[in-house]
Amino acid sequence: LRVAISYPDLYEIGMSNLSVRLIYRLLNSLDGVACERVFAPAADFEAALRARGRPLCSLEGGRPLRAFDLLGFSVGYELTFTNLLAMLELGGVSLRCGQRTAEEPIVIAGGPAVTNPVPFGAYVDAVFVGEIEGEALGLFAELARRKRGGAGRAELLEILAAAPYVWTAG
């Protein structure tokens, strides 16, 4: 299960977010889960990516965002949501949930700015309500197990939607 997580802001700000650091460590401790990090590019780097037609990639593996199974965003305040959208676009991921294909990642958000998930429902496939840290191990272990068994995007999204602490628009 390939997961990229982000605090949708510059690296210097995102790496100071304890949730991202904790979730990164937790997910990488699970068998069958590979978690990488990605952050919003500075304006000059974003312009260079766009000018060269290059995708936004993860830090560890240099993998384009579109190549992951799941993209997780810890949204600390509402103004970073536009960064999340820019990151999706730069990573080659459709902005709207309804336009995403079976080959695109599931987009998950969590954090204090999405405690009311409805306004974000057109753009994120799922929202963790509450603290993910207590539930992540079991849920992501199950997602990894199902992925190893051949589950695709739709089945993984069904597993997420069945969790009582995950909100989905569908």
Side-chain angles (χ1 to χ4, degrees):
L1 184 72
R2 294 169 305 185
V3 180
I5 59 169
S6 178
Y7 185 89
D9 210 324
L10 299 175
Y11 174 88
E12 297 81 2
I13 296 169
M15 279 307 294
S16 67
N17 181 275
L18 293 178
S19 292
V20 168
R21 292 166 62 174
L22 177 64
I23 294 167
Y24 176 78
R25 186 177 54 81
L26 284 173
L27 293 181
N28 277 317
S29 74
L30 293 172
D31 189 36
V33 177
C35 183
E36 299 182 29
R37 297 164 298 165
V38 64
F39 298 99
D44 59 343
F45 185 50
E46 179 179 346
L49 288 173
R50 290 183 189 282
R52 291 175 175 80
R54 304 289 296 248
L56 180 63
C57 296
S58 64
L59 293 177
E60 289 80 3
R63 182 186 317 263
L65 298 189
R66 185 178 177 90
F68 286 90
D69 299 309
L70 294 122
L71 300 176
F73 292 91
S74 178
V75 186
Y77 56 100
E78 292 82 357
L79 293 177
T80 60
F81 198 74
T82 56
N83 291 350
L84 184 156
L85 296 175
M87 291 173 71
L88 292 177
E89 182 182 30
L90 286 167
V93 179
S94 300
L95 290 181
R96 294 188 170 269
C97 304
Q99 296 173 341
R100 291 191 192 118
T101 67
E103 291 77 35
E104 291 184 83
I106 295 170
V107 179
I108 305 170
V114 293
T115 53
N116 176 9
V118 176
F120 307 101
Y123 306 100
V124 298
D125 297 298
V127 174
F128 279 96
V129 179
E131 300 295 325
I132 185 177
E133 291 87 351
E135 304 295 338
L137 292 177
L139 179 60
F140 279 86
E142 176 64 13
L143 291 169
R145 186 180 73 72
R146 295 287 185 91
K147 175 73 178 173
R148 273 192 305 271
R153 183 182 197 282
E155 187 175 350
L156 296 178
L157 191 52
E158 286 175 14
I159 294 165
L160 285 167
Y165 45 84
V166 176
W167 178 91
T168 59

Coordinates of all heavy atoms in Angstrom, one line a residue, residues 68-141:
F68 N 0.5 7.0 -6.2 CA 0.2 6.4 -4.9 C -1.2 5.8 -4.8 O -2.0 6.2 -5.6 CB 0.4 7.5 -3.8 CG 1.8 7.9 -3.5 CD1 2.4 8.9 -4.2 CD2 2.5 7.2 -2.6 CE1 3.8 9.2 -4.0 CE2 3.9 7.5 -2.3 CZ 4.5 8.5 -3.0
D69 N -1.4 5.0 -3.8 CA -2.7 4.4 -3.6 C -3.6 5.4 -2.8 O -4.8 5.5 -3.0 CB -2.6 3.1 -2.8 CG -1.9 2.0 -3.6 OD1 -2.2 1.8 -4.8 OD2 -0.9 1.4 -3.0
L70 N -2.9 6.0 -1.8 CA -3.6 7.0 -1.0 C -2.8 8.2 -0.8 O -1.6 8.1 -0.6 CB -3.9 6.4 0.4 CG -4.8 5.2 0.5 CD1 -4.2 4.0 1.1 CD2 -6.1 5.6 1.3
L71 N -3.4 9.4 -0.8 CA -2.8 10.7 -0.4 C -3.5 11.2 0.8 O -4.7 11.4 0.8 CB -3.0 11.7 -1.5 CG -2.4 11.3 -2.9 CD1 -2.7 12.4 -3.9 CD2 -0.9 11.1 -2.8
G72 N -2.8 11.4 1.9 CA -3.3 11.8 3.2 C -2.9 13.2 3.5 O -1.7 13.5 3.4
F73 N -3.8 14.1 3.8 CA -3.5 15.5 4.1 C -3.9 15.9 5.5 O -5.1 15.7 5.8 CB -4.1 16.5 3.1 CG -3.6 16.3 1.7 CD1 -4.2 15.5 0.8 CD2 -2.5 17.1 1.3 CE1 -3.7 15.3 -0.5 CE2 -2.0 17.0 0.0 CZ -2.6 16.1 -0.9
S74 N -3.0 16.4 6.3 CA -3.4 16.9 7.6 C -3.6 18.4 7.4 O -2.7 19.2 7.2 CB -2.2 16.7 8.6 OG -2.5 17.2 9.9
V75 N -4.9 18.8 7.5 CA -5.2 20.2 7.2 C -5.4 21.0 8.5 O -6.4 20.8 9.2 CB -6.5 20.3 6.3 CG1 -6.8 21.7 5.9 CG2 -6.4 19.4 5.1
G76 N -4.4 21.8 8.8 CA -4.4 22.5 10.1 C -5.3 23.8 10.1 O -5.8 24.1 11.2
Y77 N -5.4 24.4 9.0 CA -6.3 25.6 8.9 C -6.8 25.7 7.5 O -6.2 25.2 6.6 CB -5.6 26.9 9.4 CG -4.3 27.2 8.8 CD1 -4.3 28.2 7.8 CD2 -3.1 26.6 9.1 CE1 -3.1 28.5 7.1 CE2 -1.9 26.9 8.5 CZ -1.9 27.9 7.5 OH -0.7 28.2 6.9
E78 N -7.9 26.3 7.4 CA -8.7 26.4 6.1 C -7.9 26.9 4.9 O -8.0 26.5 3.8 CB -10.0 27.1 6.3 CG -11.0 26.5 7.1 CD -10.8 26.7 8.6 OE1 -9.8 27.4 9.0 OE2 -11.6 26.3 9.4
L79 N -7.0 27.9 5.2 CA -6.3 28.5 4.1 C -5.3 27.6 3.4 O -5.0 27.8 2.2 CB -5.6 29.8 4.5 CG -6.5 30.9 5.0 CD1 -5.7 32.1 5.5 CD2 -7.4 31.4 3.9
T80 N -4.9 26.5 4.0 CA -4.0 25.5 3.3 C -4.8 24.6 2.4 O -4.2 23.9 1.7 CB -3.3 24.7 4.4 OG1 -4.2 24.0 5.2 CG2 -2.3 25.5 5.2
F81 N -6.1 24.7 2.4 CA -6.9 23.8 1.5 C -6.6 24.2 0.0 O -6.6 23.3 -0.8 CB -8.4 23.8 1.8 CG -9.1 22.7 1.2 CD1 -9.0 21.4 1.8 CD2 -9.8 22.8 0.1 CE1 -9.6 20.3 1.2 CE2 -10.5 21.7 -0.5 CZ -10.3 20.5 0.1
T82 N -6.4 25.4 -0.3 CA -6.0 25.8 -1.6 C -4.6 25.2 -2.0 O -4.4 24.8 -3.2 CB -6.0 27.3 -1.9 OG1 -5.1 27.9 -0.9 CG2 -7.4 27.9 -1.7
N83 N -3.7 25.1 -1.0 CA -2.5 24.4 -1.3 C -2.7 22.9 -1.6 O -2.1 22.3 -2.5 CB -1.5 24.5 -0.1 CG -1.0 25.9 0.2 OD1 -1.2 26.8 -0.6 ND2 -0.4 26.0 1.3
L84 N -3.6 22.3 -0.9 CA -4.0 20.9 -1.2 C -4.4 20.7 -2.6 O -4.0 19.8 -3.3 CB -5.0 20.4 -0.2 CG -5.5 19.0 -0.2 CD1 -6.1 18.6 1.2 CD2 -6.5 18.7 -1.3
L85 N -5.3 21.6 -3.0 CA -5.8 21.5 -4.4 C -4.7 21.7 -5.4 O -4.6 21.0 -6.4 CB -6.9 22.6 -4.6 CG -8.2 22.4 -3.8 CD1 -9.2 23.5 -4.0 CD2 -8.8 21.0 -4.1
A86 N -3.8 22.7 -5.2 CA -2.7 22.9 -6.1 C -1.8 21.7 -6.1 O -1.3 21.3 -7.2 CB -1.9 24.2 -5.6
M87 N -1.6 21.1 -5.0 CA -0.7 19.9 -4.9 C -1.3 18.7 -5.7 O -0.6 18.0 -6.4 CB -0.5 19.5 -3.5 CG 0.4 20.4 -2.7 SD 0.5 20.0 -0.9 CE 1.5 18.5 -1.0
L88 N -2.6 18.6 -5.6 CA -3.3 17.5 -6.4 C -3.1 17.8 -7.9 O -2.7 16.9 -8.7 CB -4.8 17.4 -6.1 CG -5.2 16.9 -4.7 CD1 -6.7 17.0 -4.5 CD2 -4.7 15.5 -4.5
E89 N -3.3 19.0 -8.3 CA -3.2 19.4 -9.7 C -1.7 19.2 -10.2 O -1.5 18.6 -11.2 CB -3.6 20.8 -9.9 CG -3.5 21.3 -11.3 CD -3.9 22.7 -11.5 OE1 -3.6 23.6 -10.6 OE2 -4.4 23.1 -12.6
L90 N -0.8 19.6 -9.4 CA 0.6 19.4 -9.7 C 1.0 18.0 -9.8 O 1.9 17.6 -10.5 CB 1.5 20.2 -8.8 CG 1.6 21.7 -8.9 CD1 2.2 22.3 -7.7 CD2 2.3 22.1 -10.2
G91 N 0.4 17.2 -8.9 CA 0.7 15.7 -8.9 C 0.0 14.9 -9.9 O 0.1 13.7 -9.9
G92 N -0.8 15.5 -10.8 CA -1.6 14.8 -11.8 C -2.8 14.1 -11.3 O -3.2 13.1 -12.0
V93 N -3.4 14.5 -10.2 CA -4.6 13.9 -9.6 C -5.7 14.8 -9.9 O -5.7 16.1 -9.7 CB -4.4 13.7 -8.1 CG1 -5.6 13.1 -7.5 CG2 -3.2 12.9 -7.8
S94 N -6.8 14.3 -10.4 CA -8.0 15.0 -10.7 C -8.5 15.8 -9.4 O -8.5 15.2 -8.3 CB -9.2 14.1 -11.2 OG -8.8 13.5 -12.3
L95 N -8.9 17.0 -9.5 CA -9.3 17.8 -8.4 C -10.6 17.3 -7.7 O -10.7 17.2 -6.5 CB -9.5 19.3 -8.8 CG -8.2 20.0 -9.1 CD1 -8.6 21.5 -9.4 CD2 -7.2 19.9 -8.0
R96 N -11.6 16.9 -8.5 CA -12.9 16.5 -8.0 C -12.9 15.0 -7.8 O -12.5 14.2 -8.7 CB -14.0 17.0 -8.8 CG -14.1 18.5 -8.8 CD -15.4 19.0 -9.5 NE -15.6 20.4 -9.3 CZ -16.3 20.9 -8.3 NH1 -16.9 20.1 -7.4 NH2 -16.4 22.2 -8.2
C97 N -13.5 14.5 -6.7 CA -13.6 13.1 -6.5 C -14.3 12.4 -7.6 O -13.9 11.3 -8.0 CB -14.4 12.8 -5.2 SG -13.8 13.6 -3.7
G98 N -15.4 12.9 -8.1 CA -16.2 12.3 -9.1 C -15.5 12.1 -10.4 O -16.0 11.4 -11.3
Q99 N -14.4 12.8 -10.6 CA -13.7 12.7 -11.9 C -12.5 11.8 -11.8 O -11.8 11.5 -12.8 CB -13.2 14.1 -12.3 CG -14.3 15.1 -12.6 CD -13.9 16.5 -12.8 OE1 -12.8 16.9 -12.4 NE2 -14.7 17.3 -13.5
R100 N -12.2 11.3 -10.6 CA -11.0 10.4 -10.4 C -11.3 9.0 -11.0 O -12.4 8.5 -10.8 CB -10.6 10.3 -8.9 CG -10.1 11.6 -8.4 CD -9.4 11.5 -7.0 NE -9.2 12.9 -6.6 CZ -9.8 13.5 -5.6 NH1 -10.5 12.7 -4.7 NH2 -9.6 14.7 -5.3
T101 N -10.3 8.5 -11.6 CA -10.4 7.2 -12.2 C -9.9 6.1 -11.3 O -9.4 6.4 -10.2 CB -9.5 7.1 -13.5 OG1 -8.2 7.2 -13.2 CG2 -9.9 8.2 -14.5
A102 N -10.1 4.9 -11.6 CA -9.6 3.7 -10.8 C -8.1 3.8 -10.6 O -7.6 3.2 -9.7 CB -10.1 2.4 -11.4
E103 N -7.4 4.4 -11.5 CA -5.9 4.5 -11.4 C -5.4 5.6 -10.5 O -4.2 5.7 -10.3 CB -5.3 4.6 -12.8 CG -5.5 3.4 -13.7 CD -6.9 3.3 -14.3 OE1 -7.5 4.3 -14.6 OE2 -7.3 2.1 -14.4
E104 N -6.3 6.5 -10.1 CA -5.9 7.6 -9.3 C -6.0 7.3 -7.8 O -6.7 6.4 -7.4 CB -6.7 8.8 -9.6 CG -6.4 9.4 -11.0 CD -7.2 10.6 -11.3 OE1 -6.7 11.7 -10.9 OE2 -8.3 10.5 -11.9
P105 N -5.2 8.0 -7.0 CA -5.2 7.7 -5.5 C -6.5 8.2 -4.8 O -7.2 9.0 -5.3 CB -4.0 8.5 -5.0 CG -3.7 9.5 -6.0 CD -4.2 9.0 -7.3
I106 N -6.7 7.5 -3.7 CA -7.8 8.0 -2.8 C -7.2 9.2 -2.1 O -6.1 9.1 -1.6 CB -8.2 6.9 -1.8 CG1 -8.8 5.7 -2.6 CG2 -9.1 7.4 -0.8 CD1 -9.1 4.5 -1.7
V107 N -8.0 10.3 -2.0 CA -7.5 11.5 -1.3 C -8.3 11.6 0.1 O -9.5 11.6 0.1 CB -7.8 12.8 -2.1 CG1 -7.3 14.0 -1.4 CG2 -7.1 12.6 -3.5
I108 N -7.5 11.6 1.1 CA -8.0 11.6 2.5 C -7.5 12.8 3.2 O -6.4 13.2 3.0 CB -7.5 10.4 3.3 CG1 -7.8 9.1 2.6 CG2 -8.0 10.3 4.7 CD1 -7.1 7.9 3.2
A109 N -8.4 13.5 4.0 CA -8.0 14.6 4.7 C -8.4 14.4 6.2 O -9.2 13.6 6.5 CB -8.7 15.9 4.2
G110 N -7.7 15.1 7.1 CA -8.0 15.1 8.5 C -7.4 16.3 9.1 O -6.7 17.1 8.4
G111 N -7.6 16.5 10.4 CA -7.1 17.7 11.1 C -8.2 18.6 11.5 O -9.3 18.5 11.1
P112 N -7.8 19.7 12.2 CA -8.7 20.6 12.8 C -9.5 21.4 11.8 O -10.7 21.8 12.1 CB -7.9 21.5 13.7 CG -6.5 21.3 13.3 CD -6.4 19.9 12.6
A113 N -9.0 21.6 10.6 CA -9.7 22.4 9.6 C -10.8 21.7 8.9 O -11.6 22.3 8.2 CB -8.8 23.1 8.6
V114 N -10.9 20.4 9.0 CA -11.9 19.6 8.3 C -12.8 18.9 9.3 O -13.4 17.9 9.0 CB -11.3 18.6 7.3 CG1 -10.6 19.3 6.2 CG2 -10.3 17.6 8.0
T115 N -13.0 19.5 10.5 CA -14.0 18.9 11.4 C -15.4 18.9 10.9 O -16.2 18.1 11.3 CB -13.9 19.5 12.8 OG1 -14.0 20.9 12.7 CG2 -12.6 19.2 13.5
N116 N -15.7 19.9 10.0 CA -16.9 19.8 9.3 C -16.5 19.5 7.9 O -16.1 20.3 7.1 CB -17.6 21.2 9.3 CG -18.8 21.2 8.4 OD1 -19.3 20.1 7.9 ND2 -19.4 22.4 8.1
P117 N -16.6 18.2 7.5 CA -16.1 17.7 6.2 C -16.9 18.1 5.0 O -16.4 18.0 3.9 CB -16.0 16.2 6.4 CG -17.1 15.9 7.4 CD -17.1 17.1 8.3
V118 N -18.2 18.4 5.2 CA -19.0 18.6 4.0 C -18.5 19.6 3.0 O -18.5 19.3 1.8 CB -20.5 19.0 4.5 CG1 -21.4 19.3 3.3 CG2 -21.0 17.9 5.3
P119 N -18.0 20.8 3.4 CA -17.5 21.7 2.3 C -16.3 21.1 1.5 O -16.0 21.6 0.4 CB -17.0 22.9 3.1 CG -17.7 22.8 4.4 CD -17.9 21.4 4.7
F120 N -15.6 20.1 2.0 CA -14.5 19.5 1.3 C -14.9 18.3 0.5 O -14.0 17.7 -0.2 CB -13.4 19.2 2.3 CG -13.0 20.3 3.2 CD1 -13.5 20.4 4.5 CD2 -12.2 21.4 2.7 CE1 -13.2 21.5 5.3 CE2 -11.9 22.4 3.5 CZ -12.4 22.5 4.8
G121 N -16.1 17.9 0.6 CA -16.6 16.6 0.0 C -16.4 16.5 -1.5 O -16.3 15.4 -2.0
A122 N -16.4 17.6 -2.2 CA -16.2 17.5 -3.7 C -14.8 17.2 -4.1 O -14.6 16.8 -5.2 CB -16.7 18.8 -4.3
Y123 N -13.9 17.4 -3.1 CA -12.5 17.3 -3.4 C -11.7 16.2 -2.7 O -10.7 15.7 -3.2 CB -11.8 18.6 -3.1 CG -12.4 19.8 -3.8 CD1 -13.3 20.6 -3.1 CD2 -12.2 20.0 -5.1 CE1 -13.9 21.7 -3.7 CE2 -12.9 21.1 -5.8 CZ -13.7 21.9 -5.0 OH -14.4 22.9 -5.7
V124 N -12.2 15.8 -1.6 CA -11.5 14.7 -0.9 C -12.5 13.5 -0.8 O -13.7 13.6 -0.7 CB -11.1 15.1 0.5 CG1 -10.0 16.2 0.5 CG2 -12.2 15.5 1.4
D125 N -11.9 12.3 -1.0 CA -12.7 11.1 -1.0 C -13.2 10.7 0.4 O -14.3 10.1 0.5 CB -11.9 9.9 -1.6 CG -11.6 10.2 -3.1 OD1 -12.5 10.3 -3.9 OD2 -10.4 10.3 -3.4
A126 N -12.4 11.0 1.4 CA -12.7 10.6 2.7 C -12.1 11.6 3.7 O -11.1 12.2 3.4 CB -12.2 9.2 3.0
V127 N -12.7 11.7 4.9 CA -12.2 12.6 5.9 C -12.2 11.8 7.2 O -13.2 11.2 7.6 CB -13.1 13.9 6.1 CG1 -12.6 14.7 7.3 CG2 -13.1 14.7 4.8
F128 N -11.0 11.8 7.9 CA -10.9 11.2 9.2 C -11.5 12.2 10.2 O -11.0 13.4 10.2 CB -9.5 10.9 9.6 CG -9.0 9.6 9.0 CD1 -8.2 9.6 7.8 CD2 -9.2 8.4 9.6 CE1 -7.8 8.5 7.3 CE2 -8.8 7.2 9.1 CZ -8.0 7.3 7.9
V129 N -12.4 11.8 11.0 CA -13.0 12.7 12.0 C -12.4 12.3 13.3 O -12.5 11.1 13.7 CB -14.6 12.5 12.0 CG1 -15.2 13.4 13.1 CG2 -15.1 12.9 10.6
G130 N -11.8 13.2 14.0 CA -11.1 12.9 15.2 C -9.6 12.6 15.0 O -9.0 13.0 13.9
E131 N -9.0 11.9 15.9 CA -7.5 11.6 15.8 C -7.3 10.3 15.1 O -7.7 9.3 15.5 CB -6.9 11.6 17.2 CG -7.1 12.9 18.0 CD -6.3 14.0 17.4 OE1 -5.2 13.8 16.8 OE2 -6.8 15.2 17.5
I132 N -6.5 10.4 14.0 CA -6.2 9.2 13.3 C -5.2 8.3 14.0 O -5.2 7.1 13.8 CB -5.7 9.5 11.9 CG1 -5.4 8.3 11.0 CG2 -4.4 10.3 12.0 CD1 -5.0 8.5 9.6
E133 N -4.4 8.8 14.9 CA -3.3 8.1 15.5 C -3.8 6.9 16.2 O -3.2 5.8 16.2 CB -2.5 9.0 16.5 CG -1.7 10.1 15.8 CD -2.5 11.3 15.5 OE1 -3.7 11.4 15.7 OE2 -1.9 12.3 15.1
G134 N -5.0 6.9 16.9 CA -5.5 5.8 17.6 C -6.0 4.7 16.7 O -6.1 3.5 17.1
E135 N -6.4 5.0 15.5 CA -7.1 4.1 14.6 C -6.3 3.6 13.4 O -6.6 2.7 12.7 CB -8.4 4.7 14.2 CG -9.4 5.1 15.3 CD -9.9 3.9 16.1 OE1 -9.9 2.8 15.6 OE2 -10.3 4.2 17.2
A136 N -5.2 4.4 13.1 CA -4.5 4.2 11.9 C -3.9 2.8 11.7 O -4.0 2.2 10.6 CB -3.4 5.2 11.8
L137 N -3.4 2.2 12.8 CA -2.7 0.9 12.6 C -3.6 -0.2 12.1 O -3.3 -0.8 11.1 CB -2.0 0.5 13.9 CG -0.8 1.4 14.4 CD1 -0.3 0.9 15.7 CD2 0.2 1.4 13.3
G138 N -4.7 -0.3 12.7 CA -5.7 -1.4 12.3 C -6.2 -1.1 11.0 O -6.3 -2.1 10.1
L139 N -6.7 0.1 10.7 CA -7.3 0.4 9.4 C -6.3 0.3 8.2 O -6.6 -0.4 7.2 CB -7.9 1.8 9.4 CG -8.5 2.3 8.1 CD1 -9.7 1.4 7.7 CD2 -9.0 3.7 8.3
F140 N -5.1 0.8 8.4 CA -4.1 0.7 7.3 C -3.5 -0.7 7.2 O -3.2 -1.1 6.1 CB -3.0 1.8 7.5 CG -3.4 3.1 7.0 CD1 -4.1 4.0 7.9 CD2 -3.2 3.5 5.7 CE1 -4.6 5.2 7.4 CE2 -3.6 4.8 5.3 CZ -4.3 5.6 6.1
A141 N -3.5 -1.4 8.2 CA -3.1 -2.8 8.1 C -4.1 -3.6 7.3 O -3.7 -4.4 6.4 CB -2.9 -3.5 9.5

